[in-house]
């Protein structure tokens, strides 16, 4: 979709076939420039009006907050909390809701969740006596089955948390429909969505989703590392306690050390020094993606997946390789080569063909209950081409070369 030279990593590594975008997206030059610009032209810590650069830094952060809000269909930018990433955002949600849970209350998740959307709920459940239960997955898509929610939701269900798209199978859950079904059963159930794997691949409009929380990271959408988003309905954010305490998130502290007053939302959740260079880069990434158009990106990546599936069938690769998600249009191929250790395959692809794929559990520790404990994953971005896919699939046909990297010199 784009000239690879727009991405310095690809420009400086011209033979690299980067198929690990589900782990992190590469950064275009304009995003890197925005981050560096702050460091070399401003450099100030925000949240003071004592000097000009600090004022500019504060204004930039609030402008970025509004840019993010517009991008996901949020009308009140103060509902956008800037965090260090999806993991921090989900931990804040889980611990912020902890006080609402009683022994026997239920939290519903899936076995395909990233550990960041699994462990926080497990820990909170253990600390409160709440119970973790599974949402039912469709046997074909491995997505949340909206028509079996009434089989698992009870009058004890308090929270439902799941990924818009998982980082392994990638099926795009119909959040609008699932949320409608949940609220029809019990309007008081809290719905939290992990959008880390979908935010860069399709439009998200929270005006059409009756959910309570959303989390994602900048580095998943061609932005910098170290910054992310927690969106929540204002009513929830106002009553939730912060997970982290420190500078910038209180209005006053009494001199007897007994009481304090927190800052308003979102600032009460943004303790400590923020990351202005990354936030400026994040704003540039969102602006850039908006100009391209999320519908256009979704269409391009859908065509890539359709092409990959067609080529896999043309080459007859399903006889040699177990593919787990050819029946959806997610920009991910998850697979295992029959009879081969995935680490050997990944090392071969890298050393012999300069193809970067991910191998392992993908921080989703319970996938073995659904399809496989470990797998190889090739994930696409807007810089991925059909030629990249051809190189990957051709390399996978040469199983007689998989061990050459250990016994022969790689050329």
């Amino acid at each position: 979709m784009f000239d690879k030279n727009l991405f310095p990593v690809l420009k400086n590594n011209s033979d690299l076939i980067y198929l690990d975008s589900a782990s992190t997206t590469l950064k275009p030059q304009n995003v890197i420039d925005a981050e560096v610009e702050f460091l070399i032209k401003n450099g100030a810590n925000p949240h003071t009006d004592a000097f000009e650069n600090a004022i500019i830094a504060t204004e930039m952060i609030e402008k970025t907050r509004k840019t993010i809000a517009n991008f996901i269909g949020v009308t009140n930018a103060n509902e956008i909390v800037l965090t260090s990433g999806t993991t921090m955002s989900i931990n804040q949600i889980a611990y912020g809701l902890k006080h609402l849970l009683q022994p026997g209350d239920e939290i519903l998740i899936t076995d395909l969740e990233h550990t960041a959307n699994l462990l926080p709920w497990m820990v909170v459940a253990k600390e409160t006596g709440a119970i973790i239960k599974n949402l039912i997955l469709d046997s074909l898509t491995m997505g949340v089955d909206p028509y079996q929610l009434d089989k698992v939701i009870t009058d004890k269900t308090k929270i439902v948390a799941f990924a818009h798209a998982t980082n392994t199978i990638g099926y795009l859950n119909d959040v609008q429909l699932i949320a409608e079904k949940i609220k029809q059963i019990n309007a008081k159930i809290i719905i939290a969505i992990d959008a880390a794997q979908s935010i860069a691949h399709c439009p998200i409009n929270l005006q059409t989703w009756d959910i309570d929380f959303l989390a994602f990271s900048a580095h998943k959408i061609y932005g910098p590392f170290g910054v992310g988003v927690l969106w929540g309905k204002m009513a929830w954010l106002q009553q939730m306690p912060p997970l982290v305490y420190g500078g910038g998130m209180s209005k006053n502290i009494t001199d007897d050390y007994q009481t304090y007053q927190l800052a308003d939302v979102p600032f009460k959740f943004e303790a400590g020094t923020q990351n202005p260079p990354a936030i400026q880069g994040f704003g540039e990434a969102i602006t850039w993606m908006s100009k391209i158009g999320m519908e256009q990106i979704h269409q391009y990546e859908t065509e890539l997946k359709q092409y990959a599936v067609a080529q896999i069938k043309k080459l007859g690769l399903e006889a040699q390789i177990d593919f787990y998600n050819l029946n959806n249009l997610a920009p991910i191929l998850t697979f295992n080569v029959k009879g081969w250790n995935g680490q050997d395959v990944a090392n071969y692809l890298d050393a012999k063909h300069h193809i970067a794929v991910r191998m392992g559990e993908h921080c989703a520790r319970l996938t073995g209950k659904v399809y496989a404990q470990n797998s190889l994953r090739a994930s696409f971005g807007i810089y991925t081409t059909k030629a990249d896919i051809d190189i990957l699939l051709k390399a996978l046909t040469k199983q007689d070369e998989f061990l050459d990297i250990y016994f022969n010199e790689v050329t």
Side-chain angles (χ1 to χ4, degrees):
M1 186 173 188
F2 281 94
D3 181 354
K4 291 185 182 238
N5 287 330
L6 291 174
F7 299 86
V9 168
L10 298 178
K11 183 178 181 179
N12 293 321
N13 299 271
S14 59
D15 57 352
L16 173 63
I17 307 297
Y18 185 78
L19 297 175
D20 196 27
S21 293
S23 178
T24 195
T25 53
L26 301 180
K27 289 49 171 163
Q29 186 65 57
N30 56 305
V31 169
I32 296 170
D33 289 345
E35 194 167 6
V36 171
E37 180 185 50
F38 184 88
L39 292 170
I40 64 176
K41 291 186 178 180
N42 187 301
N45 202 337
H47 304 307
T48 180
D49 55 7
F51 63 97
E52 184 178 11
N53 276 14
I55 295 170
I56 292 172
T58 303
E59 290 174 345
M60 176 274 295
I61 291 173
E62 295 313 305
K63 179 181 178 182
T64 300
R65 200 188 305 275
K66 291 177 181 177
T67 299
I68 296 166
N70 290 335
F71 186 69
I72 58 174
V74 171
T75 56
N76 182 357
N78 285 334
E79 292 178 336
I80 301 294
V81 179
L82 295 172
T83 68
S84 63
T86 307
T87 298
M88 179 65 179
S89 297
I90 295 175
N91 273 270
Q92 174 60 73
I93 296 167
Y95 280 89
L97 298 175
K98 176 182 172 181
H99 67 287
L100 300 177
L101 295 171
Q102 302 294 326
D105 285 346
E106 298 167 351
I107 303 168
L108 271 56
I109 59 175
T110 83
D111 284 330
L112 293 181
E113 299 307 311
H114 189 284
T115 303
N117 201 31
L118 178 64
L119 277 181
W121 301 113
M122 290 174 58
V123 173
V124 165
K126 186 175 183 179
E127 292 178 356
T128 61
I131 299 168
I132 299 289
K133 290 176 57 178
N134 286 123
L135 292 163
I136 297 174
L137 300 179
D138 182 277
S139 59
L140 179 63
T141 66
M142 297 189 227
V144 176
D145 190 335
Y147 301 103
Q148 298 201 63
L149 291 167
D150 56 353
K151 294 182 179 179
V152 291
I153 292 176
T154 72
D155 58 1
K156 287 286 190 177
T157 304
K158 294 295 188 293
I159 300 168
V160 177
F162 62 94
H164 185 197
T166 65
N167 73 329
T168 51
I169 298 302
Y171 176 76
L172 205 61
N173 282 306
D174 188 341
V175 176
Q176 182 176 352
L177 177 60
I178 294 168
E180 287 175 358
K181 296 287 187 182
I182 292 171
K183 298 293 187 177
Q184 286 171 5
I185 297 170
N186 183 351
K188 294 183 179 180
I189 292 175
I190 299 166
I191 303 173
I193 301 298
D194 174 0
Q197 290 298 324
S198 59
I199 191 66
H201 304 292
C202 66
I204 292 177
N205 182 0
L206 293 183
Q207 294 300 307
T208 64
W209 291 2
D210 188 9
I211 66 171
D212 301 282
F213 296 98
L214 185 86
F216 62 91
S217 298
H219 78 97
K220 302 290 190 180
I221 186 168
Y222 307 96
F225 292 104
V227 62
V229 169
L230 159 59
W231 168 82
K233 287 181 176 177
M234 182 58 70
W236 287 122
L237 295 176
Q238 287 174 334
Q239 67 172 277
M240 281 169 51
L243 179 61
V244 178
Y245 291 79
M249 49 83 73
S250 65
K251 289 184 177 179
N252 60 67
I253 301 174
T254 58
D255 56 10
D256 62 0
Y257 314 114
Q258 297 303 305
T259 59
Y260 55 86
Q261 183 180 9
L262 294 177
D264 295 330
V265 175
F267 308 109
K268 75 173 186 177
F269 298 109
E270 297 177 351
T273 301
Q274 291 180 289
N275 188 348
I279 293 172
Q280 181 158 303
F282 192 9
E284 174 61 26
I286 294 291
T287 299
W288 183 64
M289 293 289 279
S290 297
K291 289 178 180 178
I292 298 167
M294 293 308 299
E295 288 285 1
Q296 183 179 352
I297 290 169
H298 182 62
Q299 179 61 36
Y300 176 74
E301 293 178 339
T302 296
E303 291 172 0
L304 284 179
K305 180 61 173 288
Q306 290 172 328
Y307 178 79
V309 172
Q311 294 303 109
I312 287 167
K313 294 185 179 301
K314 181 179 179 180
L315 294 169
L317 286 178
E318 289 176 281
Q320 309 164 40
I321 301 172
D322 290 322
F323 290 97
Y324 303 113
N325 67 337
L326 297 186
N327 60 348
N328 70 43
L329 297 176
I332 292 176
L333 289 173
T334 305
F335 60 95
N336 278 309
V337 181
K338 296 177 182 180
W340 288 93
N341 180 285
Q343 190 66 56
D344 290 334
V345 179
N347 290 346
Y348 155 76
L349 291 173
D350 178 39
K352 194 72 179 286
H353 300 281
H354 308 289
I355 301 171
V357 299
R358 185 127 321 222
M359 183 274 161
E361 295 179 329
H362 314 296
C363 293
R365 305 297 186 197
L366 301 181
T367 58
K369 296 171 67 176
V370 182
Y371 67 95
Q373 190 65 38
N374 292 281
S375 60
L376 290 142
R377 184 188 68 194
S379 49
F380 312 152
I382 58 177
Y383 33 64
T384 306
T385 65
K386 291 179 180 179
D388 293 337
I389 293 170
D390 288 338
I391 294 170
L392 169 68
L393 298 182
K394 183 177 180 180
L396 290 173
T397 67
K398 299 182 178 181
Q399 296 184 23
D400 58 330
E401 298 180 5
F402 282 3
L403 297 182
D404 285 358
I405 59 171
Y406 301 119
F407 301 106
N408 301 306
E409 183 178 349
V410 176
T411 58

